[in-house]
Amino acid sequence: MIRRSKSLAFSCSRGFRWNSILSYSRGANRFAGVEDGESGRERAEEEGGGRIYLHKSRGQHILTNPRVLDAIVRKAEIRPTDTVLEIGPGTGNLTLRLLEAAHKVVSVEIDKRMVEILHNRVTDGKLDDRLTVICQDALRTQFPQFDLCVANIPYGISSPLVAKLLFGNHSFRSATLLLQKEFARRLLAKPGDSEFNRLAVNVQLVATVEFLMDVSKRDFVPCPKVDSSVVRIRPKTEIPDVDLAEWGAFTRTCFSKKNKTLGAIFKQKRKVLELSRRLCNEPPCAGQGIVGVYDREDDADDADEGDEDCGDVTEVGLLKEKIVGVLRDGGFESKRPSKVSVEEMLRLLSLFNQAGIYFHTLR
């Protein structure tokens, strides 16, 4: 049954045309019953007007093309016994199709207005006994057990949500996600591709990513500025034996300037000082998860910290020599992180740790 709390005392206009939510017109600016807030500002429903305003600030873009919706469900490979997790169901266009294919659907939606719409549509279709709606922030709530994740994800939470799915101790077969096209290309990138970055290397450590199809921006209401892509992410059954917090800190360092060589990156004064400070602490404890897969932009400028007090200059110099030695002996000094595979990154991290150099400490 749909879980409803006192916070859902919100009521939509009784004149709302529920069936119109499924109507589709390619290139339309809005569909019956739903209208875009042009400036992206949050706006409330018109009193008794039967319209609901979509919040661009929350990434509320409703997928309306029935052919695309059907294709997503088909490509998700849903079994009749599956429990499907859906993030951001919106008005329920995808949800209704998932309910037809799955045993149960758990939808996480932060907007109470959308929850009410979804509740009424599912009740009308007599499918409410197979749907659970959690009216909370998907990044803050604890997900129940699920077999598959199928979702049209708000662009603004793509990276932290992918991180939560893959590094949050969830056991599932796959996640079929509709994402911003540029973000999807980063997930799919291989070493040597211009899009290959920290996001790709972190995700590909624990999962495989498969491209399924592109989706035009004209298939959404309101029309976003960019096209989208559907990808399928499958967690690996076996992942490398590596501390994830250490791995996350290591890849953050490597990809801080992904188009420089690893030798140039690790010879920077700031990097050597940071590693020197960590030598004064104990090595990190195992089992600490990656907080995010893409915490910062690649090639971001690292500000020079200046001539701050950094301890024994001799010790810092010896550490720099050790770092350069590891890179040179491993054959990594002249390589660029954007061209290094996951397996090579794992080997380099192992070489650093064997030399007593760690990238993460508990704070």
Side-chain angles (χ1 to χ4, degrees):
M1 296 293 290
I2 294 181
R3 295 198 314 208
R4 305 180 66 192
S5 65
K6 293 182 180 179
S7 63
L8 299 187
F10 172 93
S11 61
C12 288
S13 166
R14 296 304 178 187
F16 197 98
R17 298 178 293 254
W18 302 111
N19 292 334
S20 298
I21 294 178
L22 292 175
S23 64
Y24 165 75
S25 175
R26 192 172 182 85
N29 290 323
R30 62 174 178 256
F31 58 100
V34 177
E35 182 173 334
D36 171 34
E38 294 179 359
S39 66
R41 293 175 298 181
E42 298 185 359
R43 301 175 64 183
E45 296 88 341
E46 294 179 359
E47 289 296 332
R51 294 184 183 277
I52 182 170
Y53 288 86
L54 300 178
H55 300 167
K56 285 185 178 180
S57 62
R58 293 180 179 174
Q60 290 181 337
H61 297 278
I62 308 299
L63 179 61
T64 58
N65 189 332
R67 293 188 297 276
V68 175
L69 290 162
D70 291 338
I72 291 174
V73 175
R74 185 174 63 254
K75 292 176 181 294
E77 300 178 349
I78 301 172
R79 301 171 185 171
T81 57
D82 282 339
T83 295
V84 176
L85 174 69
E86 183 187 19
I87 309 298
T91 56
N93 290 347
L94 179 60
T95 312
L96 295 181
R97 288 165 168 80
L98 294 175
L99 286 168
E100 293 175 355
H103 171 67
K104 183 179 179 181
V105 175
V106 178
S107 295
V108 183
E109 172 60 61
I110 194 172
D111 191 332
K112 290 184 248 185
R113 306 169 309 152
M114 298 298 180
V115 172
E116 191 72 17
I117 293 172
L118 184 59
H119 165 70
N120 281 276
R121 293 187 73 189
V122 173
T123 300
D124 289 348
K126 303 186 186 306
L127 297 169
D128 53 321
D129 60 330
R130 291 160 53 196
L131 176 67
T132 297
V133 178
I134 301 174
C135 187
Q136 293 183 29
D137 185 340
L139 298 180
R140 297 178 181 275
T141 189
Q142 183 174 355
F143 296 149
Q145 181 63 41
F146 62 96
D147 301 296
L148 300 173
C149 178
V150 184
N152 170 22
I153 297 201
Y155 293 160
I157 65 170
S158 297
S159 181
L161 185 58
V162 169
K164 180 173 181 175
L165 288 171
L166 293 179
F167 299 98
N169 297 319
H170 300 104
S171 177
F172 60 98
R173 288 205 315 277
S174 69
T176 301
L177 307 178
L178 179 59
L179 303 163
Q180 183 177 343
K181 189 172 184 178
E182 181 183 0
F183 185 84
R185 289 177 64 182
R186 290 173 178 170
L187 285 176
L188 293 159
K190 303 298 180 185
D193 295 344
S194 59
E195 296 90 355
F196 189 72
N197 58 13
R198 183 171 173 247
L199 169 69
V201 78
N202 282 346
V203 169
Q204 292 171 23
L205 174 74
V206 297
T208 59
V209 186
E210 175 187 3
F211 169 80
L212 297 181
M213 64 178 181
D214 286 326
V215 179
S216 171
K217 59 187 177 182
R218 292 177 292 171
D219 292 328
F220 295 85
V221 175
C223 181
K225 295 181 180 180
V226 296
D227 292 328
S228 301
S229 296
V230 180
V231 301
R232 179 163 49 224
I233 303 175
R234 296 185 189 272
K236 294 179 178 178
T237 55
E238 295 184 6
I239 62 174
D241 183 17
V242 60
D243 178 78
L244 293 179
E246 174 70 2
W247 169 263
F250 169 65
T251 57
R252 184 183 299 111
T253 299
C254 291
F255 282 91
S256 61
K257 291 181 176 292
K258 72 170 186 176
N259 292 318
K260 289 184 177 291
T261 64
L262 288 166
I265 292 170
F266 281 98
K267 289 176 184 176
Q268 293 177 83
K269 176 182 178 181
R270 180 177 179 179
K271 299 302 180 188
V272 177
L273 291 175
E274 288 175 352
L275 294 175
S276 176
R277 295 189 190 100
R278 291 190 177 99
L279 287 179
C280 299
N281 298 298
E282 293 295 324
C285 296
Q288 298 295 316
I290 293 181
V291 174
V293 292
Y294 194 53
D295 296 326
R296 56 177 291 175
E297 292 294 326
D298 295 330
D299 265 349
D301 290 332
D302 284 317
D304 192 340
E305 294 189 353
D307 297 327
E308 58 181 293
D309 183 8
C310 58
D312 193 320
V313 176
T314 302
E315 290 183 2
V316 173
L318 291 175
L319 175 59
K320 182 175 182 179
E321 291 180 7
K322 182 185 288 189
I323 293 171
V324 172
V326 169
L327 292 169
R328 184 183 299 118
D329 295 344
F332 290 98
E333 187 175 16
S334 61
K335 291 187 176 182
R336 303 180 191 278
S338 58
K339 299 181 184 298
V340 178
S341 68
V342 173
E343 292 73 21
E344 289 177 309
M345 293 287 285
L346 284 167
R347 186 166 72 87
L348 177 57
L349 177 58
S350 177
L351 292 174
F352 273 126
N353 289 170
Q354 290 173 22
I357 300 171
Y358 292 88
F359 296 84
H360 173 77
T361 54
L362 297 179
R363 290 175 172 79

